[in-house]
Amino acid sequence: MRRAIYPGSFDPVTNGHLDIIERGCKLFDEIIIAVLVNPEKSSFFSIEERCEILGEVLKEIDRGDCRVVVESFRGLLVQYAAERKANAIVRGIRAISDYEYELQMALMNRRLQPELETVFMMPAEAYSYVSSRLVKEVFQLGARIDGLVPALVEKRMRERNGC
Ligand code: PNS
């Protein structure tokens, strides 16, 4: 049983995240999408909304035989991974610029929990520039975000902004 944790803020989930999850489903028997509870960081969607949206949009992707579950977590990722008996952490890397930060985190996590492997995965090129931060920024400035996020996410963002 190979179980991975795919942690992140997912505020909001993008098509890049979903692409990584689909690819991860080919490698793992179970993937836990773990949404970080971070009260210090202001967010567009609440934790509950992010988990609910993820649950909905995950119904649309090709999961093969992989079980995909959504949970929220707080505190140290490695501790949460140990509680869930996960073998690996999955992180998406879009460009070299992501690599430095991701390498630091992966090595710190390895120091804290040597048995837990970090697996870096590359999304499709089409999503190599897509980030939750930029999606929110351009959306709030009135730009279109179709194709970057699932339709449900765009709908929920429009509802939130009253448009
Ligand atoms: O989507 P993000 O915001 O880039 O995800 C970052 C995340 C959630 C993977 C990272 O902040 C994290 O693991 N936070 C949990 C606290 C922790 O374990 N910090 C030490 C990381 S080395």
Side-chain angles (χ1 to χ4, degrees):
M1 170 72 175
R2 291 162 307 163
R3 178 181 290 134
I5 292 196
Y6 182 35
S9 304
F10 302 103
D11 186 38
V13 57
T14 68
N15 286 342
H17 291 128
L18 295 182
D19 182 90
I20 294 289
I21 296 167
E22 273 192 349
R23 289 171 199 278
C25 281
K26 296 180 193 151
L27 300 179
F28 297 100
D29 303 305
E30 182 177 301
I31 300 182
I32 302 174
I33 317 298
V35 186
L36 175 69
V37 179
N38 187 356
E40 277 146 43
K41 204 168 152 187
S42 67
S43 61
F44 190 91
F45 289 118
S46 68
I47 278 288
E48 293 75 21
E49 288 171 317
R50 278 179 265 164
C51 291
E52 186 225 317
I53 293 170
L54 271 162
E56 285 302 314
V57 300
L58 285 169
K59 290 179 189 161
E60 308 295 322
I61 70 164
D62 180 8
R63 285 165 290 167
D65 292 329
C66 181
R67 181 167 180 260
V68 182
V69 292
V70 180
E71 290 186 354
S72 59
F73 80 104
R74 56 182 79 231
L76 264 188
L77 176 61
V78 291
Q79 200 175 327
Y80 168 73
E83 283 163 17
R84 291 288 176 274
K85 298 190 169 34
N87 314 99
I89 292 170
V90 167
R91 291 288 288 171
I93 292 208
R94 292 159 298 195
I96 294 293
S97 49
D98 284 339
Y99 181 72
E100 271 186 54
Y101 171 61
E102 294 296 334
L103 179 69
Q104 272 189 340
M105 283 207 297
L107 293 180
M108 179 60 84
N109 285 333
R110 180 182 284 169
R111 180 195 156 96
L112 299 173
Q113 186 69 256
E115 305 83 48
L116 184 67
E117 292 296 336
T118 297
V119 176
F120 291 149
M121 301 194 70
M122 280 75 68
E125 300 93 280
Y127 305 126
S128 58
Y129 62 93
V130 179
S131 69
S132 300
R133 183 183 63 79
L134 272 186
V135 163
K136 283 182 286 196
E137 184 173 322
V138 301
F139 172 80
Q140 275 164 339
L141 294 170
R144 291 177 54 180
I145 54 168
D146 54 310
L148 306 179
V149 293
L152 175 69
V153 170
E154 186 176 0
K155 179 171 169 278
R156 296 288 290 266
M157 288 178 80
R158 287 192 188 289
E159 285 169 2
R160 169 59 43 89
N161 268 20
C163 56

